[in-house]
Amino acid sequence: MSKLPHIGTSIFTVMSKMANEYNAINLSQGFPNFPVDERLTSIVARLATENVHQYTPMTGYPPLLTKIAKLVLDSYKRVVVPETEILVTAGATQGIFTTIQALIKANDEVIILDPSYDCYEAPVLLCNAHSVRVPLNDDYTPNWEIIEKACSAKTRMIIINNPYNPTGKILAEADFVRLEKILDKYPDLLVLYDEVYEYITFEEKHISAHTRQQLLDRCIMISSFGKSFHITGWKIGYVVAPEHLMIEIKKVHQFLVFSVNSISQVAISEYLDIVDVTKLGKFYQEKRDYFKKLLEKSRFELKPCEGTYFQVASYKSISDEDDVTFCKRLITEYGVAAIPISTFYANGKDLKLIRFCFAKDNATLEAAAERLCSI
């Protein structure tokens, strides 16, 4: 008997497979196709011949832990203790899974805001806990009245994604104030804060939970070097949490992966000495703006994108088809792959919206836009 009977193949796998079958331009899955920084690849090439191929300590390569603490301090003015409050993980997804397995018990409730990334629910269900899916407003802002009504004495965790995948939205100051009021009301409630796109934000100032003093003792932060440095295949991220929570998270981590790829940890540790994460937002904003300009003559309506490298677009003026059918036809007839937003909702809510990934080189964006403008 399946422990996850209603969960099938990921929509990302489905669309990427179709893209390959029809030789379509793949703007569905969120991975860049441009070269990795040569400074990083040079570090890796050198390290390949050095003695860095054995297990690192369970929590992470010590110099990398120190560099992460400095990165958090430089970015958010938050002091974290490398030895007790940071854990290097095999990607952000493993960090999320491990955290939920460590902190959620049977019959606990976990609030997930829809449309939500697809890795949140499965670990909740594997704990014999209950996911409570709460919809965002149609403009993708949180409806805090509905969220608060969904909370109860059984609610152990709320999962927040900021900047938000798939919507491209970021939280405002008022959102944090409302979240903090809910935490005041429910003293046992934790926040799992998925911030993997923290350095990929645009005009609006991104507010990190690292800067919210009221959250720090009850918040587990998830970050991703894979997203920040265009190395998604490395599957390396990190968790920052207060020691009393991190103790439990480490217990699960040590029996799940024990330690993370050694050469990648050493390479990123060195790379953090020379890379400027503050330039990432400008780099991706140029990508976003260029893709938007290329689609000006199309019939797609592009929604506001405040962060991430995803652009949500409405196709209401093009078709009345449901978004899954439309995305499949987009591949088979026009040779461009996108992701239907309804698949991020528990109830399959269809607002005739799809998601494009613009983390691609300009030639790819130009070729895709030419096809999209022909619809």
Side-chain angles (χ1 to χ4, degrees), residues 35-44 46-47 64 67 225 228-231 234 264-277 280:
V36 175
D37 188 341
E38 289 184 358
R39 295 175 298 173
L40 180 55
T41 56
S42 295
I43 291 171
V44 174
R46 172 175 52 78
L47 288 175
L64 177 58
K67 302 286 180 63
F225 288 124
S228 295
F229 298 148
H230 335 310
I231 49 173
W234 286 31
S264 65
Q265 291 195 66
V266 180
I268 290 174
S269 179
E270 292 192 20
Y271 186 56
L272 284 172
D273 289 333
I274 58 176
V275 69
D276 184 356
V277 295
L280 287 168

Side-chain angles (χ1 to χ4, degrees), residues 58-60 64-65 68 86-90 236-238 253 260 265:
M58 183 266 288
T59 57
L64 177 58
L65 297 177
I68 292 171
I86 302 172
L87 175 68
V88 178
T89 58
I236 182 167
Y238 56 96
H253 176 82
V260 175
Q265 291 195 66

